[in-house]
Amino acid sequence: MNRLLSSSTLAAAILGALACAGSAHAQIMANHNSNAPVNFAADRIEVQDRADRVVVSGNVVVDQAGLHLTAARMTVAYRQVGSVEIDRIDASGSVVVTRGNETARGNVAIYDLNRRLITMLGNVQLNQGANRLTGGRLLIDLVSGRSTVDGRSAGGPPGSTTGSSGRVSGTFTVPQRTTKP
């Protein structure tokens, strides 16, 4: 039976969600204070004890120290081993993570805390000021620090893509150089 989420479980769930959000774009987490208070709002929070899952839905908003996450829905899978340990966080429905002038967008974001992998899928777009990168999938390996954007969108049949070309594209600004005569 569902019950009201305890404040410690909720805090752990929201902190885990924020960790997902913050790592979606490599620069977004640079110098981020993960010990700062977490503020959140949603239309509904449901604890599914038997499934070890918390579902936060309806205009989900999470803020921590200038980092901002919005999504339609977030599911937090956890284990209770003395304390709550979060295993995986799935955010879906126009996931947007912002900090300053940096933004990461995608249809879905998945944070596998055990493997330390973050994946954003579907219409992925990374913006930093005027710089923009788009693709079908963003994979961030938090262990190696390696990030990869490709044109594929996992979740569909093999070989499926998010657009007609299935390619990564981007626009990067170039600093203006002055030449001396």
Side-chain angles (χ1 to χ4, degrees), residues 28-173:
I28 284 180
M29 279 304 282
N31 301 315
H32 178 69
N33 180 5
S34 61
N35 293 320
V38 176
N39 298 303
F40 71 95
D43 295 340
R44 179 180 168 100
I45 297 175
E46 178 183 349
V47 177
Q48 300 171 354
D49 276 338
R50 291 185 181 167
D52 289 338
R53 180 171 54 208
V54 175
V55 178
V56 183
S57 60
N59 304 305
V60 177
V61 177
V62 180
D63 286 296
Q64 182 185 42
L67 189 69
H68 184 77
L69 162 77
T70 61
R73 177 182 170 104
M74 192 168 26
T75 303
V76 180
Y78 63 90
R79 288 179 281 141
Q80 295 217 19
V81 286
S83 63
V84 173
E85 288 187 17
I86 298 170
D87 291 322
R88 180 178 161 139
I89 300 163
D90 297 350
S92 61
S94 300
V95 179
V96 179
V97 180
T98 56
R99 181 172 178 206
N101 73 340
E102 299 173 330
T103 303
R105 299 175 188 275
N107 296 344
V108 175
I110 301 164
Y111 183 13
D112 182 333
L113 282 82
N114 297 323
R115 294 177 54 207
R116 300 205 52 195
L117 290 175
I118 296 171
T119 307
M120 284 190 93
L121 302 168
N123 301 310
V124 172
Q125 186 176 85
L126 303 173
N127 294 335
Q128 181 182 42
N131 298 325
R132 182 180 53 85
L133 182 64
T134 62
R137 179 178 68 168
L138 165 65
L139 180 63
I140 301 169
D141 184 329
L142 298 173
V143 175
S144 69
R146 182 177 178 178
S147 298
T148 306
V149 176
D150 62 38
R152 295 183 297 164
S153 178
S160 68
T161 61
T162 57
S164 58
S165 68
R167 297 172 52 91
V168 176
S169 63
T171 302
F172 299 97
T173 57

Side-chain angles (χ1 to χ4, degrees), residues 173-180:
T173 57
V174 178
Q176 297 301 307
R177 293 176 171 76
T178 57
T179 58
K180 294 183 180 183

